[in-house]
């Protein structure tokens, strides 16, 4: 039995370095095993193993909560402002809009609540690229419900460059209503890279 | 006056049903960017989209 010790192992010998992979330990060992694209002399990290498992180098995820109320005119799809960022791993969340920089499949979840609405329609939808995607969830139909809340989750594909998601609400009280920001959140996370 | 009310004032044959998701033919939107309400889609079969002058 023999033991091979090395800080780097290149897999592949293609003339095009991006067709090769390198498994390596960083120059200053930190308990991680890294995987990179490229030759052993200059790999670009795509992920690493730690004692806790695998962690991709770039995994967009965000969570934000609303700390202000949004005015929602009658019969008008209105973007909800979730302007208190709780986490944003890659800086891809801004102005209540998530524009991830990695192509893949994401789970996106939003919750919303609107004040003083009874026996009227209240809808929540996740908009892709500022457009209605013809899917929504409803709340607020039940008699006596004064501050209806609802939530929605979708698994969606995003191209990693131009695609973005936002949350919009719709109500038909006949007058302008206001969202309630008690703990309502907007979040998303990469679940599978394309 | 909200955009919805302005539209109904100049197109009185319209009803709330024309603005409902999926079954309606008109979509109003507000992107919460300070620019206010606007007509996102207008696909009504008989009524023409009001001009900005009509809605002023």
């Amino acid at each position: 039995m023999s033991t091979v010790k090395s800080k780097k192992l290149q897999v592949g010998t293609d003339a095009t370095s991006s067709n090769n992979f390198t498994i390596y330990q960083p120059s200053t060992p930190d308990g991680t095993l890294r995987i990179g694209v490229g030759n052993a002399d200059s790999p670009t990290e795509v992920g690493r193993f730690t004692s806790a498992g695998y962690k991709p180098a770039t995994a967009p995820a965000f969570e934000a909560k609303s700390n202000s109320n949004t005015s929602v005119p009658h019969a008008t799809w209105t973007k909800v402002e979730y302007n208190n960022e709780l986490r944003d791993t890659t800086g891809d969340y801004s102005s209540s809009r998530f524009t991830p920089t990695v192509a893949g499949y994401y789970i996106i979840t939003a919750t919303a609540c609107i004040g003083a609405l009874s026996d009227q329609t209240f809808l929540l939808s996740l908009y892709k690229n500022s457009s209605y995607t013809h899917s929504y969830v409803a709340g607020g139909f039940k008699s006596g419900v004064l501050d209806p809340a609802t939530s929605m989750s979708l698994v969606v594909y995003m191209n990693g460059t131009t695609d973005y998601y936002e949350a919009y609400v719709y109500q038909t009280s006949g007058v302008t209503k206001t969202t309630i920001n008690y703990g309502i959140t907007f979040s998303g996370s990469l679940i599978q890279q394309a | 006056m909200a955009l919805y009310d302005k539209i109904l004032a100049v197109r009185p044959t319209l009803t709330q049903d024309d603005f409902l998701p999926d079954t309606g033919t008109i979509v109003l939107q507000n992107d919460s960017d300070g620019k206010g309400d606007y007509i996102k889609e207008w696909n009504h079969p008989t009524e023409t989209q009001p001009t900005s002058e009509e809605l002023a």
Side-chain angles (χ1 to χ4, degrees):
Chain A
M1 179 178 174
S2 62
T3 300
V4 177
K5 293 183 179 181
S6 174
K7 288 178 70 72
K8 294 184 178 182
L9 171 62
Q10 180 176 317
V11 179
T13 57
D14 196 273
T16 302
S17 62
S18 60
N19 290 336
N20 302 325
F21 285 84
T22 297
I23 301 169
Y24 61 103
Q25 184 183 53
S27 55
T28 302
D30 58 2
T32 65
L33 172 66
R34 303 188 183 186
I35 299 175
V37 171
N39 293 336
D41 56 349
S42 57
T44 300
E45 183 183 342
V46 296
R48 63 182 64 178
F49 285 94
T50 70
S51 58
Y54 180 72
K55 177 185 177 184
T58 307
F62 78 98
E63 182 180 14
K65 61 185 292 188
S66 179
N67 60 6
S68 63
N69 298 327
T70 302
S71 293
V72 184
H74 171 76
T76 303
W77 284 102
T78 302
K79 178 180 169 180
V80 183
E81 296 179 80
Y82 302 87
N83 35 26
N84 181 9
E85 280 188 28
L86 303 176
R87 58 187 59 84
D88 182 7
T89 60
T90 49
D92 294 340
Y93 182 79
S94 178
S95 300
S96 305
R97 171 184 292 181
F98 181 50
T99 314
T101 50
V102 175
Y105 292 90
Y106 289 80
I107 184 166
I108 306 290
T109 301
T111 59
C113 179
I114 197 161
L117 189 72
S118 181
D119 296 326
Q120 298 294 340
T121 299
F122 172 51
L123 306 175
L124 167 65
S125 183
L126 292 169
Y127 268 41
K128 183 177 184 180
N129 302 337
S130 295
S131 293
Y132 176 56
T133 55
H134 297 279
S135 61
Y136 55 81
V137 292
F141 289 104
K142 187 178 179 182
S143 176
V145 175
L146 295 181
D147 296 336
T150 189
S151 66
M152 179 179 192
S153 292
L154 289 177
V155 173
V156 299
Y157 174 79
M158 303 177 81
N159 64 14
T161 53
T162 58
D163 286 343
Y164 58 88
Y165 265 82
E166 300 160 306
Y168 278 70
V169 292
Y170 177 99
Q171 59 88 18
T172 57
S173 69
V175 297
T176 295
K177 290 291 183 179
T178 306
T179 60
I180 293 177
N181 62 9
Y182 301 144
I184 68 169
T185 59
F186 183 34
S187 61
S189 177
L190 177 69
I191 54 176
Q192 182 178 325
Q193 195 166 336
Chain B
M1 182 185 290
L3 178 61
Y4 173 86
D5 298 313
K6 290 180 180 179
I7 292 173
L8 261 61
V10 298
R11 298 289 185 272
T13 63
L14 297 178
T15 69
Q16 179 175 296
D17 290 347
D18 294 305
F19 298 83
L20 291 176
D22 293 336
T23 56
T25 56
I26 301 165
V27 177
L28 305 183
Q29 191 161 312
N30 186 315
D31 296 327
S32 296
D33 55 2
K35 297 179 180 177
D37 308 343
Y38 64 95
I39 299 171
K40 176 74 172 179
E41 295 179 18
W42 188 283
N43 298 307
H44 197 279
T46 57
E47 292 286 357
T48 59
Q49 180 173 335
T51 62
S52 54
E53 289 76 18
E54 288 180 287
L55 297 173

